[in-house]
Amino acid sequence: MTPTAQDVSAPGEAAPPSDRPANPPRAFSVFSAAELQTALKKMYLIRRFEEAAEDAYQRGLTYGTMHLSIGQEASAVGACLPLGPSDYITSTHRGHGHCIAKGADPARMFAEFSGKETGYCHGRGGSMHIADVENGNLGANGIVAGGIPIAVGAALAIKKRGLPNVALCFFGDGAANEGAFHEALNIASIWKLPVIFVCENNKYAMSTSIERALSVKNVADRAVAYSMPGVIVDGNSLTDMADAVMAAIERARAGLGPTLIESKTYRIRGHSRSDRNRYRTKEEIESWVARDPIDRFEVELIAHGLATAAECLAIREAAEAEIAAAVKFSNDSPLPDAADILRGVHTPAEAKP
Amino acid sequence: MTPTAQDVSAPGEAAPPSDRPANPPRAFSVFSAAELQTALKKMYLIRRFEEAAEDAYQRGLTYGTMHLSIGQEASAVGACLPLGPSDYITSTHRGHGHCIAKGADPARMFAEFSGKETGYCHGRGGSMHIADVENGNLGANGIVAGGIPIAVGAALAIKKRGLPNVALCFFGDGAANEGAFHEALNIASIWKLPVIFVCENNKYAMSTSIERALSVKNVADRAVAYSMPGVIVDGNSLTDMADAVMAAIERARAGLGPTLIESKTYRIRGHSRSDRNRYRTKEEIESWVARDPIDRFEVELIAHGLATAAECLAIREAAEAEIAAAVKFSNDSPLPDAADILRGVHTPAEAKP
Amino acid sequence: MTAPLSATTGALPIEPGASRELSFAEALREAMGQALEADDRVFLMGEDIAIYGGAFQVTLGLLERFGHDRVMDTPISELGSAGVAVGAALAGMRPILEFQFQDFATLAMEQIVNQAAKIRYMFGGKCSVPVVFRAPTGSGTGGAAQHSQSLEAWYAHVPGLKVVQPSNPHDAKGLLLAALDDPDPVMFFEHKLLYKMKGPVPEAPYRVPIGKAAVVRQGTQVTIVASAIMVSRSLEAAAILAEKGIDVEVIDLRTLRPLDTETIIASVKKTTRLMCVYEGAKTLGIGAEIAAMIAESEAFDYLDAPILRLGGAEVPIPYSPVLEKAAVPQVADIAAAAERLANKRV
Amino acid sequence: MTAPLSATTGALPIEPGASRELSFAEALREAMGQALEADDRVFLMGEDIAIYGGAFQVTLGLLERFGHDRVMDTPISELGSAGVAVGAALAGMRPILEFQFQDFATLAMEQIVNQAAKIRYMFGGKCSVPVVFRAPTGSGTGGAAQHSQSLEAWYAHVPGLKVVQPSNPHDAKGLLLAALDDPDPVMFFEHKLLYKMKGPVPEAPYRVPIGKAAVVRQGTQVTIVASAIMVSRSLEAAAILAEKGIDVEVIDLRTLRPLDTETIIASVKKTTRLMCVYEGAKTLGIGAEIAAMIAESEAFDYLDAPILRLGGAEVPIPYSPVLEKAAVPQVADIAAAAERLANKRV
Ligand SMILES: Cc1ncc(C[n+]2csc(CCOP(=O)(O)OP(=O)(O)O)c2C)c(N)n1
Ligand SMILES: Cc1ncc(C[n+]2csc(CCOP(=O)(O)OP(=O)(O)O)c2C)c(N)n1
Ligand SMILES: [Mg+2]
Ligand SMILES: [Mg+2]
């Protein structure tokens, strides 16, 4: 779908066609302005969701650990933009962004984050296990690399069922040193499965920099060990991510098998609550704050006449309002009933298919 | 050491210097004729040991499973030729060859294979767990890829202790698809450890051909994923193996880290007792029988004037006699005492260092 | 419920017309064949299960009938394969993954225990993971320490898993079909020494319910609780003791998780003496749970003697046959222990 | 033996001059520092143990003192790291490998159980594998199902392993130094909620022997056997019951394998009532072994009531605090159960 007149008809400062940059990203000719604006909104939702989570933590309202993806929003939203609800994703401990990008409701997410009965997992899972299976999100995962073979399995199911879908698998640079990564990529390759491996390389696994843990310069350099393309993408560019994933989807649909995409990005916040930031410099962090993926996408949208500054502001405010409402929904929600603790371990007999 | 006059002074048909092939393998200038003849003897010991094992099995005298390496002798002996007793190896389920190559006593090996108290492991281990730790053999291993990280650990100990040694790790093509392979090679690379990975690619993991299980053409192609050299060697050539390992040792000693050597070879026998050979053709097997590594090394030794045909025959007969004696030693040996079953689980208190 | 096994042979009485003699391996193969025929979602994965027919030939011939898409050889990648099975199950399939030996499932514990067992609960009960993990277990084949383990108790400790371990061909087929019906993950353990055991197996598909033990021999003086190969050994021991006038009841657990506590408690109340026979290491083997369960149950008051456990020796399984035999309970050990127990009084 | 903990605070009485108050984490850190100083062969491996100081800051500051060669960050490769530790131990070193959470050791079971635990035996007793695997365990921090497990019982089921689980700073230091002396592999489990617990810890190196339980409170009516965080919870429960006139003895297991059966049996003979309190899933948790051991021991005859087990609920650990608390025994649960038990009669 190319943008229609209607999509860009909003008032204000959208650049006139003559001023627009040459060589627009492919995503700009595939997705409508409305779709692209929704992507922008998702980035704001992620940012605000995590700021709200941080705030709840600082005010002593939360409990478990949390891993924030602030700074990585383009990677999550760009990768999910070409996916539909019947495509699968698997996510990680740093999964709020992926989950919102795949279309989850922030209110039920915040409720889950807060351990409430109204959360996606009825409070059983928490931040690290939010899943939205109906929307094709097979869940965040507390185990580094745990989701990689699961995504391959989902792709196997897609292939067996003859569906046109893909499974997209998010993981970090640290996960690329797990045996599960190796086994899963090998299997995906030999069976030519429709799976897209998206490594979000944010330069650190907790405190451990890739220089000290990874035996190659780029995670994508490992693709040759599995005879699949290895693509390096600027993970702070939503459109670069979307374009790379679109190419991988085409490859997968053509029966050519998996692609490994390395999204070079950066997490602005610490690894988790316990991070005292002993392992990176303020300068490094600030240099990445300056490359903010949301700002960048806004500028791009405006430059290409796909949104006006006023629209962007409205989108941001709508996202803020939505997260405020999500927090309120969560705060107003009940905690689970302790008497109910066993519910969900096994499928009840009457539900058996 | 270059061969001395004394080394080649045996009577008979050794080729005169003028007739010898140009470009001799490096091993022929590094090892003495006596050392090379010992290598030939080890190949014969391996062959006869395994034939004797097969015979014992066919006569119903053995019990557990066994994995024969007939056809792969050059790989084992060539790789171990440059090693000394303070270098370590780790081996596999198909480990008789490695064990003899590293200098073990076939009599105690056969006793172990036969579950006798006089065996290397006092009958506790059997074929799949023969170890000879004093000689630097950290053991066969019943777990595919189980020995790979152990070899890396031994190399770490070497480095920490400032020793000039290496650890050499044998494994099969099938093992290259295990997560342990990936994790171990990555660690060895980032820590620049003195370890040599020797993948004996005999084209099959049990019944599963590399074409159906391995996502690259050569296992050595995976070396780039760990920034180490990947070397493909004709594993049926003892000298090619020895030369490749010598280069890897030099690299390791220079502090440059690990090497991955892929030894292309073939097992002539079935995978194990239970193999009904449903997965490969007679023609394929026969084509490899024609490439017998022992014949080939003999021809080479003779061509280069390092042994005479008569010497080779004598070596072979000596090996046959040694294995016959080993079988007799084993047959004459007692079984373990069942009352002793708990011995060896824990280090006795008095032995604590 | 299954008809009780005959005390001497361990075989089920043949219902005329309904069943033929099949081996344990054949019974499993028939169950998988029927499941593959009946349900498109079912497929098999494992190392060398296709052309080779599996290390123990359990899947022999299924490749020819169902092709490589349904009978898939995996690379030697236990963790990855387990994860693939979990993912496929989440996405609507019903995979059966064969581990070549139970020992190698140690490589896949993460996926089995952290993912398969927990996903349904962690996700708030919104999905399920219908996967069956099959694995040959136990000693007796000279496999030594890394090919002979009986770690069933590990899985039986994990909420979210079901653990099944048949003792005869009939139950092998019926429990495997029941496992395949189950929407949640099932560990299915097959003792290697049973693969060649013959017994009557009805041809039409049937289910042996998960979670139900079977009283395979009625008795009044001692209850022996066993599973897998220990059932036939216990029946043999019971036959020996019968000649000495000691009347032993034998319970075949069939399912290790969830335990059929009712059947065990009822038996102990009747016999007043309990012995647990199992192959895994005695400490924290399945018999530990059974003993503990009885010791805290209403049956405690009925006990006329301490609860005896005959488990595996506290060693890695040794290679040499003389040691290997000594490492796990044999018929004579069971008979002697049961006799001691029968004569003990509080 | 350690001096008994004070019943109310769970702290050891201070011997003047001999010890200072340290936290559990500090005690472990001191033990590792002293071992690194005393023995060149000792080194630490683990994820983020160097600059970061470990997820729970246990190794904080050791990098600065001993450098990257002795305090080694590993990639996220639990199986590989465990194998590297095993290999280094075989080749003369004494590695301590920290798993960031016990849950992740599921990835390394192969190396721990098939290799570390069995190598000495498989190799005929010719070598040993002196490696210490440390891991934080347990729930109570909102880590949810994949960061809160208590799978100690798995390891306690494995011949060839020793399994240690201290309950206070004093034992943490002494047991860790004892584990490092041990020529065989030792699993060392640290309950996360204990890391900040303070208590007296002598400065000079000392050992708390592996395999010895401690009677941390003397009592006459009920024996509670516990370990890790359940020791202080049981002591609190005992203090509550003391006010009701119920006199509870509390045993701190300290070592889960090998079990100190002697101490437990002696206590049960005295009190005639046994309760096992543990955090792992009730089924086949460590309490199953203790109950079963007593039920077959000479103490059986002394029992005046069934053996009670208070274990974890049969669920993956849930996230929400209200559920998480309900999933494992709390002080009130222990007090209520012990009171019921004290009033029970056969
Ligand atoms: C198997 C496993 N090992 C260790 C951990 C602890 N852990 C959680 S996140 C993390 C770092 C992961 O790094 P990376 O994959 O780069 O993802 P990022 O956090 O940078 O997004 C670690 C070590 C874990 N959760 N699972
Ligand atoms: C972890 C593990 N998985 C499976 C097996 C069963 N098994 C033993 S050898 C073997 C094939 C190994 O193939 P390869 O590594 O190529 O060595 P080869 O037998 O060809 O020498 C298999 C599957 C095992 N021993 N360990
Ligand atoms: Mg990272
Ligand atoms: Mg092979």
Side-chain angles (χ1 to χ4, degrees):
Chain A
M1 296 154 276
T2 38
T4 61
Q6 200 193 346
D7 287 324
V8 292
S9 64
E13 311 98 311
S18 57
D19 286 4
R20 291 177 199 163
N23 295 324
R26 191 169 156 221
F28 284 176
S29 59
V30 170
F31 299 100
S32 69
E35 287 168 319
L36 294 163
Q37 290 184 15
T38 300
L40 177 66
K41 178 161 178 211
K42 283 183 175 173
M43 290 171 89
Y44 273 121
L45 285 173
I46 297 170
R47 179 72 55 90
R48 290 291 167 263
F49 181 94
E50 295 201 325
E51 285 169 348
E54 210 170 19
D55 181 59
Y57 171 63
Q58 270 150 9
R59 288 166 43 217
L61 300 175
T62 58
Y63 180 51
T65 193
M66 64 182 178
H67 305 86
L68 303 181
S69 66
I70 289 176
Q72 303 187 182
E73 295 89 347
S75 184
V77 178
C80 290
L81 181 58
L83 303 182
S86 302
D87 296 311
Y88 291 109
I89 67 164
T90 62
S91 167
T92 69
H93 58 285
R94 200 174 304 288
H96 305 143
H98 310 141
C99 196
I100 291 177
K102 192 67 176 39
D105 168 10
R108 287 166 70 202
M109 285 177 64
F110 210 88
E112 187 57 39
F113 171 74
S114 308
K116 298 299 181 77
E117 181 65 34
T118 54
Y120 266 104
C121 313
H122 302 301
R124 269 80 178 155
S127 165
M128 258 190 298
H129 303 295
I130 303 180
D132 180 15
V133 179
E134 280 159 36
N135 260 315
N137 179 355
L138 300 181
N141 208 308
I143 303 296
V144 167
I148 308 182
I150 294 177
V152 173
L156 177 62
I158 288 168
K159 185 170 179 175
K160 285 190 178 297
R161 299 167 70 192
L163 302 173
N165 299 109
V166 298
L168 186 147
C169 169
F170 288 105
F171 57 98
D173 48 285
N177 297 322
E178 282 281 10
F181 164 88
H182 176 69
E183 297 183 6
L185 269 72
N186 183 58
I187 292 174
S189 173
I190 58 172
W191 292 351
K192 294 215 180 307
L193 299 180
V195 53
I196 301 166
F197 299 104
V198 176
C199 178
E200 299 188 307
N201 180 347
N202 57 13
K203 302 180 72 169
Y204 296 89
M206 211 157 148
S207 69
T208 309
S209 71
I210 44 174
E211 286 79 21
R212 293 192 303 118
L214 188 73
S215 59
V216 272
K217 201 159 174 307
N218 307 294
V219 174
D221 297 346
R222 290 195 166 155
V224 349
Y226 313 102
S227 305
M228 65 177 78
V231 184
I232 296 174
V233 176
D234 179 343
N236 280 24
S237 162
L238 186 143
T239 50
D240 285 7
M241 281 303 293
D243 287 6
V245 169
M246 282 189 281
I249 291 175
E250 281 151 20
R251 195 180 141 80
R253 286 223 183 100
L256 299 173
T259 300
L260 172 58
I261 296 173
E262 178 175 4
S263 158
K264 302 265 195 192
T265 183
Y266 198 80
R267 70 166 151 71
I268 302 299
R269 295 297 193 274
H271 167 72
S272 72
R273 295 188 327 187
S274 69
D275 191 337
R276 288 163 204 203
N277 198 29
R278 297 196 185 91
Y279 54 89
R280 45 181 203 174
T281 62
K282 236 174 120 178
E283 291 69 44
E284 182 180 285
I285 299 172
E286 275 163 11
S287 79
W288 281 90
V289 169
R291 288 182 246 179
D292 188 281
I294 305 187
D295 290 352
R296 184 157 156 189
F297 187 52
E298 272 195 12
V299 168
E300 227 180 340
L301 284 179
I302 294 169
H304 285 273
L306 293 161
T308 63
E311 280 171 327
C312 291
L313 186 63
I315 285 166
R316 174 184 173 161
E317 285 168 355
E320 277 166 7
E322 190 171 335
I323 296 302
V327 173
K328 182 164 170 11
F329 169 79
S330 171
N331 290 344
D332 294 348
S333 290
L335 285 167
D337 180 351
D340 239 13
I341 186 170
L342 295 178
R343 199 187 72 215
V345 179
H346 291 291
T347 308
E350 62 281 9
K352 286 190 189 180
Chain B
M1 297 155 276
T2 39
T4 62
Q6 200 192 345
D7 288 326
V8 293
S9 64
E13 311 99 312
S18 56
D19 286 5
R20 292 179 197 162
N23 294 325
R26 193 170 154 219
F28 284 175
S29 58
V30 170
F31 300 101
S32 70
E35 287 169 320
L36 294 163
Q37 290 184 14
T38 300
L40 178 66
K41 177 158 178 214
K42 284 183 175 174
M43 289 171 90
Y44 272 121
L45 285 173
I46 297 169
R47 179 72 56 90
R48 290 291 168 260
F49 182 94
E50 296 201 325
E51 285 168 349
E54 211 170 18
D55 182 58
Y57 171 64
Q58 269 150 11
R59 288 163 47 215
L61 300 175
T62 57
Y63 181 53
T65 194
M66 62 182 179
H67 305 87
L68 304 181
S69 65
I70 289 177
Q72 303 187 182
E73 295 89 347
S75 184
V77 179
C80 290
L81 181 58
L83 303 183
S86 302
D87 294 313
Y88 290 109
I89 67 164
T90 62
S91 168
T92 70
H93 58 286
R94 200 175 304 288
H96 304 143
H98 311 140
C99 195
I100 291 178
K102 192 69 181 26
D105 169 10
R108 289 166 69 201
M109 284 177 66
F110 210 88
E112 187 57 38
F113 171 74
S114 307
K116 298 299 180 74
E117 180 65 34
T118 55
Y120 267 104
C121 313
H122 302 301
R124 269 81 180 154
S127 166
M128 257 190 300
H129 303 295
I130 303 181
D132 181 13
V133 179
E134 281 159 34
N135 260 315
N137 178 354
L138 300 182
N141 208 308
I143 302 297
V144 166
I148 308 181
I150 294 176
V152 173
L156 177 61
I158 289 168
K159 184 169 181 176
K160 285 190 177 296
R161 298 166 70 192
L163 302 173
N165 299 110
V166 298
L168 186 147
C169 169
F170 289 106
F171 57 98
D173 48 283
N177 297 323
E178 281 282 9
F181 163 89
H182 177 68
E183 297 183 7
L185 269 73
N186 183 58
I187 292 172
S189 173
I190 57 171
W191 292 349
K192 294 214 181 308
L193 298 180
V195 53
I196 301 166
F197 299 104
V198 177
C199 178
E200 299 188 307
N201 180 349
N202 57 11
K203 301 180 71 167
Y204 296 89
M206 212 159 149
S207 70
T208 309
S209 71
I210 44 173
E211 286 79 21
R212 292 193 303 119
L214 188 72
S215 59
V216 271
K217 202 160 174 304
N218 307 294
V219 174
D221 297 346
R222 288 193 168 157
V224 359
Y226 314 103
S227 305
M228 65 177 81
V231 184
I232 296 173
V233 175
D234 179 343
N236 280 25
S237 162
L238 185 145
T239 49
D240 285 8
M241 281 304 293
D243 287 6
V245 169
M246 283 190 281
I249 291 175
E250 280 150 20
R251 196 180 141 79
R253 287 224 182 100
L256 298 172
T259 300
L260 172 58
I261 295 173
E262 178 175 5
S263 158
K264 302 265 195 192
T265 183
Y266 198 79
R267 70 167 151 73
I268 301 299
R269 296 298 192 274
H271 167 71
S272 71
R273 296 187 329 186
S274 68
D275 191 339
R276 291 166 201 199
N277 198 28
R278 295 194 186 94
Y279 56 90
R280 45 184 203 172
T281 63
K282 239 175 117 177
E283 291 69 44
E284 181 180 285
I285 298 171
E286 275 163 10
S287 79
W288 281 91
V289 168
R291 288 182 244 179
D292 188 281
I294 305 188
D295 291 352
R296 183 158 157 189
F297 187 51
E298 273 195 12
V299 168
E300 225 179 343
L301 283 179
I302 294 169
H304 286 273
L306 293 162
T308 65
E311 281 171 327
C312 291
L313 187 62
I315 286 167
R316 174 182 171 160
E317 285 168 356
E320 278 167 4
E322 190 171 334
I323 296 302
V327 173
K328 183 163 170 10
F329 168 80
S330 170
N331 289 345
D332 294 348
S333 291
L335 286 166
D337 180 352
D340 240 13
I341 187 170
L342 295 178
R343 199 189 70 215
V345 180
H346 290 290
T347 308
E350 60 282 9
K352 285 190 189 181
Chain C
M1 218 197 60
T2 329
L5 295 173
S6 123
T8 39
T9 64
L12 289 157
I14 299 183
E15 300 162 43
S19 58
R20 312 105 328 134
E21 292 264 319
L22 289 186
S23 75
F24 191 93
E26 287 162 347
L28 291 168
R29 189 182 308 143
E30 184 164 278
M32 286 188 274
Q34 290 173 345
L36 284 162
E37 256 167 21
D39 189 343
D40 271 358
R41 299 170 304 173
V42 173
F43 68 100
L44 317 186
M45 295 170 63
E47 292 159 17
D48 305 288
I49 63 163
I51 309 174
Y52 203 91
F56 295 92
Q57 309 287 287
V58 177
T59 54
L60 196 66
L62 295 177
L63 171 68
E64 289 70 16
R65 284 174 60 200
F66 299 99
H68 275 293
D69 276 358
R70 312 281 307 278
V71 183
M72 307 183 78
D73 275 339
T74 64
I76 314 181
S77 306
E78 286 79 5
L79 177 64
S81 301
V84 168
V86 170
L90 271 174
M93 304 300 291
R94 297 198 157 244
I96 306 180
L97 174 61
E98 174 179 304
F99 292 108
Q100 206 164 80
F101 285 71
Q102 192 210 59
D103 311 68
F104 314 152
T106 53
L107 286 161
M109 296 313 291
E110 194 288 295
Q111 282 288 337
I112 299 171
V113 169
N114 292 337
Q115 312 290 345
K118 296 184 171 50
I119 278 178
R120 183 178 159 76
Y121 191 77
M122 289 189 306
F123 292 3
K126 299 246 182 68
C127 55
S128 56
V129 185
V131 54
V132 176
F133 295 108
R134 292 180 44 239
T137 67
S139 66
T141 67
Q146 296 175 334
H147 283 70
S148 304
Q149 287 171 86
S150 298
L151 293 171
E152 299 84 54
W154 278 9
Y155 304 92
H157 180 47
V158 177
L161 295 180
K162 299 192 177 101
V163 184
V164 159
Q165 192 171 34
S167 72
N168 63 64
H170 174 276
D171 290 356
K173 177 172 174 180
L175 281 168
L176 186 50
L177 287 173
L180 274 164
D181 285 348
D182 203 289
D184 298 319
V186 178
M187 307 299 307
F188 196 95
F189 293 120
E190 304 160 13
H191 199 289
K192 287 158 218 162
L193 296 182
L194 293 175
Y195 280 129
K196 294 189 176 154
M197 179 201 223
K198 292 243 176 200
V201 178
E203 191 162 340
Y206 59 95
R207 273 76 184 163
V208 170
I210 294 178
K212 279 269 158 234
V215 179
V216 290
R217 180 189 167 106
Q218 309 269 356
T220 56
Q221 290 174 275
V222 171
T223 298
I224 294 183
V225 176
S227 65
I229 188 77
M230 293 302 160
V231 174
S232 40
R233 290 195 188 152
S234 297
L235 287 169
E236 277 190 60
I240 294 169
L241 293 180
E243 290 178 19
K244 298 192 178 188
I246 298 171
D247 190 19
V248 173
E249 175 145 315
V250 179
I251 295 179
D252 179 356
L253 275 178
R254 303 201 295 197
T255 297
L256 308 189
R257 181 184 185 93
L259 273 184
D260 180 355
T261 53
E262 230 172 279
T263 299
I264 306 168
I265 289 173
S267 174
V268 172
K269 280 184 177 174
K270 179 176 71 170
T271 65
T272 77
R273 285 178 171 73
L274 171 61
M275 177 166 143
C276 309
V277 182
Y278 52 107
E279 178 158 344
K282 179 177 175 183
T283 301
L284 279 164
I286 188 70
E289 179 59 27
I290 293 158
M293 181 273 289
I294 290 296
E296 76 178 340
S297 77
E298 71 217 61
F300 174 79
D301 290 352
Y302 294 74
L303 286 173
D304 278 332
I307 302 171
L308 205 66
R309 288 186 295 159
L310 205 59
E314 304 289 337
V315 283
I317 298 292
Y319 171 71
S320 191
V322 44
L323 298 173
E324 191 191 24
K325 276 228 163 74
V328 305
Q330 305 295 333
V331 173
D333 306 322
I334 301 170
E339 187 171 355
R340 266 199 327 274
L341 183 60
N343 295 324
K344 220 174 221 165
R345 234 150 262 298
V346 193
Chain D
M1 216 197 64
T2 329
L5 294 174
S6 122
T8 39
T9 65
L12 289 157
I14 299 183
E15 299 160 46
S19 58
R20 313 108 322 139
E21 293 263 318
L22 290 187
S23 74
F24 191 92
E26 287 163 347
L28 292 168
R29 189 182 307 145
E30 184 164 277
M32 286 189 273
Q34 290 173 346
L36 285 162
E37 256 167 21
D39 189 342
D40 270 357
R41 299 171 305 174
V42 173
F43 68 100
L44 317 186
M45 294 170 63
E47 292 159 15
D48 306 289
I49 63 163
I51 310 174
Y52 204 91
F56 295 93
Q57 310 287 290
V58 177
T59 54
L60 196 66
L62 295 177
L63 170 69
E64 289 70 17
R65 284 176 59 199
F66 299 99
H68 275 294
D69 276 358
R70 311 281 308 279
V71 183
M72 307 183 77
D73 275 338
T74 64
I76 314 182
S77 305
E78 286 79 5
L79 177 64
S81 301
V84 168
V86 169
L90 271 173
M93 304 300 292
R94 297 199 157 246
I96 307 180
L97 174 61
E98 173 179 306
F99 292 109
Q100 205 163 81
F101 285 70
Q102 192 211 59
D103 312 69
F104 314 152
T106 53
L107 286 160
M109 295 313 290
E110 194 289 293
Q111 282 289 336
I112 298 171
V113 168
N114 292 337
Q115 313 290 346
K118 296 184 171 50
I119 277 179
R120 182 177 161 76
Y121 190 78
M122 290 189 306
F123 292 2
K126 298 246 181 70
C127 55
S128 57
V129 185
V131 54
V132 176
F133 295 108
R134 292 178 44 236
T137 67
S139 65
T141 67
Q146 296 176 334
H147 283 71
S148 304
Q149 286 172 87
S150 297
L151 294 170
E152 299 84 54
W154 278 9
Y155 304 91
H157 180 47
V158 177
L161 295 180
K162 299 193 178 102
V163 184
V164 159
Q165 194 172 32
S167 72
N168 62 63
H170 175 274
D171 291 356
K173 178 172 174 183
L175 282 168
L176 186 49
L177 287 172
L180 275 164
D181 284 348
D182 202 290
D184 299 318
V186 178
M187 307 299 308
F188 196 96
F189 293 120
E190 304 159 12
H191 198 289
K192 286 159 221 162
L193 295 183
L194 292 176
Y195 280 128
K196 294 193 177 153
M197 179 201 222
K198 292 242 175 200
V201 177
E203 191 161 340
Y206 60 96
R207 273 76 183 162
V208 169
I210 294 177
K212 280 269 157 238
V215 179
V216 290
R217 179 191 169 107
Q218 309 270 357
T220 56
Q221 290 175 276
V222 172
T223 297
I224 294 183
V225 177
S227 66
I229 188 79
M230 293 302 160
V231 174
S232 39
R233 290 195 188 153
S234 297
L235 287 168
E236 277 190 60
I240 293 170
L241 293 180
E243 291 178 17
K244 298 191 177 189
I246 298 170
D247 189 18
V248 173
E249 175 146 316
V250 179
I251 295 180
D252 178 356
L253 276 178
R254 302 201 293 198
T255 297
L256 308 189
R257 182 183 185 93
L259 273 184
D260 180 356
T261 53
E262 231 172 279
T263 299
I264 305 169
I265 290 173
S267 174
V268 172
K269 280 183 174 174
K270 179 175 73 169
T271 65
T272 78
R273 286 181 170 74
L274 171 62
M275 177 167 142
C276 309
V277 181
Y278 51 107
E279 177 157 348
K282 178 177 176 183
T283 300
L284 279 163
I286 188 69
E289 179 58 29
I290 291 157
M293 182 272 291
I294 288 297
E296 77 179 340
S297 77
E298 71 215 62
F300 175 79
D301 290 352
Y302 292 74
L303 286 173
D304 279 333
I307 301 171
L308 205 66
R309 290 185 293 160
L310 204 60
E314 303 289 337
V315 282
I317 298 292
Y319 170 72
S320 191
V322 44
L323 298 173
E324 190 190 26
K325 275 228 164 75
V328 305
Q330 306 295 333
V331 173
D333 305 322
I334 302 170
E339 185 172 357
R340 266 199 326 273
L341 183 60
N343 295 325
K344 221 175 221 166
R345 236 150 260 297
V346 194

